[in-house]
């Protein structure tokens, strides 16, 4: 059984709640049966085994891998940078991965709400679930769920992962703490790149389709002139109002912005029309990603590359639609 869980989009996310409600009974019944069979068929990991960990999104799986090193076996559920993560399928295979995991890291804010259903269907008293929204004490009303695009928050995530891994394997606590420190040190060049961009291009005006990279744009000091109503509508799969559409078009036709950023993984006719409009008005275009591009990237290099792409757009009028 495969259920299209269509990962959520925050406080006003696409109407996946209706879908999840409709399939919840079948999902729980089917996955619970599969998990019971799987759990009875294999022994629990021993003390000397690698910690089995799951990241609901590839970016969190990468942080687990960086912190856990040789003592973790990590898998990412949403990891394909060439597909819309909101059409992710929660399958029996996903249930088995989550069911046997000792550590699960998920975003929260409705972005990956299918995880709650899968976890309920695969009870495991030894599993630790780290919800980043709860870790950061963010209310459910937080409008932008793309928390990993705020580099300033990621050290707290790394420390929490180190703490969770240490609770599972206390004998390796010093190792996990050292690797969490290395992860944070690895953010230094990103922090420097952000500071340099902010100093060189204060309040640079940009337009977006949806708030995927908004936290990063805020850190960079950019001025996102796309109306929030437009961003939220695109994020939630709602047709923007004529007023929002007119305001967005004017940003290009009246040359009010210097860069256009769009969600490279979620494009439709409307998004494509704005890409075309930006190019017609000689405004460089930058594609941003919801899941980490592969291969060749970790979290730090991914974010640095996004910053570099924006810098190239502003400084050299160069578009970067694919990483």
């Amino acid at each position: 059984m495969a259920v299209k869980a269509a990962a959520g989009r925050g406080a006003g996310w696409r109407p996946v709640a209706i879908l999840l409600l409709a399939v919840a009974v079948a999902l729980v019944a089917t996955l619970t049966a599969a998990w019971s069979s799987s759990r009875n068929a294999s022994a629990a990991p021993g003390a000397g085994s690698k910690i089995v960990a799951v990241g609901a999104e590839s970016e969190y799986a990468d942080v687990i891998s960086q912190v856990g090193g040789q003592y973790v076996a990590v898998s990412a559920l949403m990891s394909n940078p060439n597909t819309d993560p909101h059409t992710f399928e929660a399958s029996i295979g996903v249930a088995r991965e989550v069911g046997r995991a000792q550590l699960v890291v998920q975003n929260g804010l409705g972005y990956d709400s299918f995880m709650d259903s899968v976890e309920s269907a695969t009870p495991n008293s030894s599993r630790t679930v780290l919800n980043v929204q709860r870790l950061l004490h963010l209310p459910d009303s937080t409008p932008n769920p793309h928390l990993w695009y705020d580099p300033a928050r990621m050290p707290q995530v790394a420390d929490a992962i180190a703490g969770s891994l240490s609770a599972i394997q206390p004998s390796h606590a010093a190792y996990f703490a050292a690797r969490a420190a290395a992860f944070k040190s690895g953010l230094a060049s990103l922090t420097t790149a952000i500071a340099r961009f902010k100093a060189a291009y204060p309040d640079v005006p940009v337009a977006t389709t949806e708030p995927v990279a908004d936290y990063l744009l805020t850190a960079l000091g950019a001025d996102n002139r796309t109306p929030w109503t437009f961003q939220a509508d695109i994020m939630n799969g709602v047709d923007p109002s004529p007023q929002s559409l007119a305001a967005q078009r004017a940003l290009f036709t009246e040359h009010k912005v210097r860069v256009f950023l769009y969600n490279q993984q979620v494009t439709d006719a409307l998004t494509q029309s704005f890409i075309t409009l930006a190019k017609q008005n000689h405004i460089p275009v930058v594609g941003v990603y919801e899941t980490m591009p592969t291969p060749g990237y970790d979290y730090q290099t991914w974010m640095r590359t996004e910053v570099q792409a924006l810098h190239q757009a502003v400084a050299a009028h160069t578009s970067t639609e694919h990483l």
Side-chain angles (χ1 to χ4, degrees):
M1 176 182 179
V3 176
K4 286 201 174 183
R9 293 270 197 145
W13 43 280
R14 299 182 189 216
V16 298
I18 296 174
L19 174 62
L20 286 174
L21 181 62
V23 303
V25 174
L27 176 67
V28 170
T30 305
L31 298 190
T32 299
W35 163 233
S36 297
S37 174
S38 174
R39 195 177 190 188
N40 292 335
S42 58
S49 303
K50 289 188 176 185
I51 298 171
V52 178
V54 169
E57 294 79 22
S58 57
E59 44 269 31
Y60 294 128
D62 177 70
V63 182
I64 298 171
S65 180
Q66 289 193 53
V67 174
Q70 64 181 317
Y71 296 114
V72 299
V74 189
S75 59
L77 300 184
M78 290 191 283
S79 59
N80 189 341
N82 299 312
T83 62
D84 181 351
H86 310 99
T87 59
F88 175 79
E89 294 188 354
S91 64
I92 295 298
V94 167
R96 290 196 179 106
E97 285 190 74
V98 174
R100 65 192 290 267
Q102 296 163 278
L103 173 64
V104 173
V105 180
Q106 61 198 66
N107 187 75
L109 286 174
Y111 186 85
D112 45 16
S113 55
F114 70 90
M115 291 294 293
D116 299 329
S117 297
V118 175
E119 288 154 6
S120 295
T122 57
N124 181 349
S125 60
S126 65
R127 179 175 59 216
T128 297
V129 176
L130 179 57
N131 182 307
V132 176
Q133 173 197 354
R134 303 304 177 203
L135 172 68
L136 300 174
H137 305 291
L138 298 174
D140 291 342
S141 58
T142 302
N144 183 0
H146 305 94
L147 301 177
W148 58 91
Y149 260 98
D150 186 352
R153 287 171 165 158
M154 295 306 285
Q156 191 172 347
V157 174
D159 285 339
I161 289 171
S164 296
L165 295 174
S166 297
I168 297 169
Q169 289 190 356
S171 61
H172 299 136
Y175 175 88
F176 298 139
R179 290 186 66 91
F183 172 85
K184 291 183 284 187
S185 296
L187 292 169
S189 60
L190 171 61
T191 301
T192 298
I194 290 172
R196 286 176 176 170
F197 183 94
K198 187 174 183 178
Y201 308 106
D203 300 313
V204 61
V206 303
T208 61
T209 49
E210 54 181 299
V212 173
D214 275 11
Y215 290 123
L216 181 59
L217 291 174
T218 297
L220 290 163
D223 177 14
N224 187 351
R225 297 193 177 180
T226 296
W228 172 254
T229 52
F230 181 93
Q231 293 187 69
D233 285 344
I234 296 297
M235 178 175 69
N236 299 322
V238 176
D239 291 335
S241 69
Q243 294 84 356
S244 292
L245 286 169
Q248 181 79 341
R249 288 193 183 100
L251 296 178
F252 305 109
T253 59
E254 299 177 17
H255 298 92
K256 294 180 178 179
V257 295
R258 296 180 63 180
V259 185
F260 175 48
L261 300 95
Y262 74 100
N263 185 347
Q264 209 280 332
Q265 290 175 251
V266 184
T267 57
D268 55 16
L270 180 60
T271 297
Q272 190 58 53
S273 72
F274 281 112
I275 294 172
T276 300
L277 186 61
K279 291 178 178 179
Q280 288 173 345
N281 286 276
H282 309 291
I283 295 169
V285 175
V286 172
V288 296
Y289 290 73
E290 292 196 59
T291 54
M292 192 170 65
T294 54
Y297 290 95
D298 57 21
Y299 174 78
Q300 296 95 321
T301 57
W302 173 32
M303 289 291 112
R304 283 202 307 270
T305 303
E306 298 277 22
V307 173
Q308 290 165 2
L310 185 58
H311 180 269
Q312 284 294 104
V314 175
H317 212 72
T318 302
S319 294
T320 304
E321 295 191 55
H322 302 275
L323 296 184

